Amino acid sequence: MPLPRSIFVLTGAGISAESGVETFRDTNGPWSKVRLEDVATPEAFRRDPDGVQAFYNARREGLRRVSANPAHEALAKLERAFAGTLTLVTQNIDDLHERGGSSAVIHMHGELKKAICAACGFRRAQDGDIRVEEACPACSRTGTMRPDVVWFGEMPHHLDAIFERLEAADLFVSIGTSGAVYPAAGFVAHAKNAGIRTLELNLEPSDGSWQFDEARHGTASRLVPAFVD
Ligand SMILES: CC(C)NC(=O)[C@H](Cc1c[nH]c2ccccc12)NC(=O)[C@H](CCCC/N=C(/NCCC(=O)O)S[C@H]1O[C@H](COP(=O)(O)OP(=O)(O)OC[C@H]2O[C@@H](n3cnc4c(N)ncnc43)[C@H](O)[C@@H]2O)[C@@H](O)[C@H]1O)NC(=O)OCc1ccccc1
């Protein structure tokens, strides 16, 4: 296998599973206790801001109790080895890629540790809880500060740069994702149509596994370091 010149990596919840961040499919994960449309849509935020804030405040607080694992660290090593020609796109809203040493992470679904004003777009770093009634420091409106995450029905971030980088890559690697949520789940088909080699590293075959040139199944903390070395 010729050494790729530029690699595009997409990650999902599976890469953070061994750090203790539940995936969306975990039987006792956060998503097993709530309905997606009750916590991760703009409509839910309008209908029940307390419930939505509590859901994300709890996940943000949970980040204090977890740390990056060997899969995150291996991708940081790959970033150093492929200075500038590695694109790392994650669907995850946790900060474990950065805590694993990666510096150029594209969070296409946003970040738990950021907040945004739904009225004026003001953004800030967010460590503690967002309080429902707090006022936006920029426009002074209250009840508009929300987690800076992409909810269902909202446009993911950085899509133009993502597709540009994807088309310029010669290897697409998908790690720890079930391929259930679009547009991320469509990246493998896009890569194939562009003649790019595709590799899946996942605990089990994902919904889109049949599309990959190669699939290796097992835990990320074992598969990713083995892929990088
Ligand atoms: C449910 C699904 C069918 N719905 C969608 O896809 C929707 C609607 C839609 C759009 N296009 C479509 C086309 C067809 C059908 C539906 C749609 N998409 C949207 O609404 C998107 C926005 C979607 C983003 C929503 N926000 C998230 N997250 C942030 C918030 C939050 O986190 O709270 S999505 C969220 O769910 C997804 C969960 O998936 P995974 O990360 O893969 O996690 P999962 O648990 O499912 O799987 C884990 C995998 O890991 C593996 N694993 C487990 N342990 C390990 C281990 N140890 N090692 C290795 N692997 C492991 C498991 O085997 C498993 O395979 C991620 O994307 C995650 O970010 N927006 C949009 O379309 O806007 C308009 C648009 C867009 C583009 C252009 C024009 C218009």
Side-chain angles (χ1 to χ4, degrees):
M1 179 164 88
L3 205 59
R5 271 170 304 96
S6 89
I7 302 179
F8 183 106
V9 174
L10 173 71
T11 66
I15 199 169
S16 295
E18 293 161 271
S19 295
V21 181
E22 284 106 358
T23 73
F24 292 69
R25 304 197 159 205
D26 273 353
T27 42
N28 59 1
W31 297 93
S32 64
K33 303 182 187 73
V34 296
R35 290 177 335 132
L36 209 155
E37 50 274 18
D38 293 342
V39 291
T41 63
E43 296 73 27
F45 185 59
R46 274 190 290 279
R47 211 175 37 242
D48 172 20
D50 293 278
V52 170
Q53 295 287 20
F55 179 73
Y56 286 97
N57 287 343
R59 288 172 68 189
R60 189 180 302 105
E61 210 277 325
L63 289 181
R64 297 174 192 284
R65 293 188 294 277
V66 299
S67 51
N69 67 55
H72 299 108
E73 287 146 8
L75 289 180
K77 182 178 170 194
L78 190 67
E79 182 187 85
R80 292 188 292 274
F82 274 75
T85 62
L86 173 80
T87 299
L88 174 54
V89 174
T90 188
Q91 299 166 80
N92 301 344
I93 60 177
D94 65 48
D95 60 345
L96 295 180
H97 279 302
E98 288 84 354
R99 286 156 63 183
S102 289
S103 59
V105 184
I106 298 176
H107 285 268
M108 71 179 292
H109 292 163
E111 300 174 66
L112 255 180
K113 297 188 85 169
K114 286 191 180 156
I116 186 170
C117 171
C120 74
F122 166 82
R123 267 196 172 92
R124 67 163 186 229
Q126 184 70 33
D127 243 344
D129 289 358
I130 300 178
R131 289 175 298 103
V132 171
E133 67 294 339
E134 72 176 279
C136 166
C139 71
S140 314
R141 289 188 188 88
T142 57
T144 57
M145 292 307 293
R146 54 166 277 186
D148 184 13
V149 299
V150 175
W151 284 326
F152 288 88
E154 294 184 323
M155 179 75 81
H157 298 323
H158 315 299
L159 282 182
D160 298 347
I162 287 172
F163 282 111
E164 199 183 305
R165 300 277 194 89
L166 182 55
E167 283 152 18
D170 49 24
L171 176 62
F172 170 76
V173 186
S174 176
I175 303 172
T177 183
S178 60
V181 170
Y182 288 79
F187 291 174
V188 59
H190 198 90
K192 283 185 77 63
N193 297 341
I196 296 162
R197 206 148 40 74
T198 56
L199 170 64
E200 172 175 84
L201 305 178
N202 211 50
L203 191 63
E204 62 205 347
S206 70
D207 299 3
S209 200
W210 56 277
Q211 301 175 83
F212 286 84
D213 298 312
E214 185 187 350
R216 301 174 195 165
H217 297 126
T219 59
S221 66
R222 192 176 57 74
L223 289 177
V224 181
F227 164 72
V228 169
D229 293 343

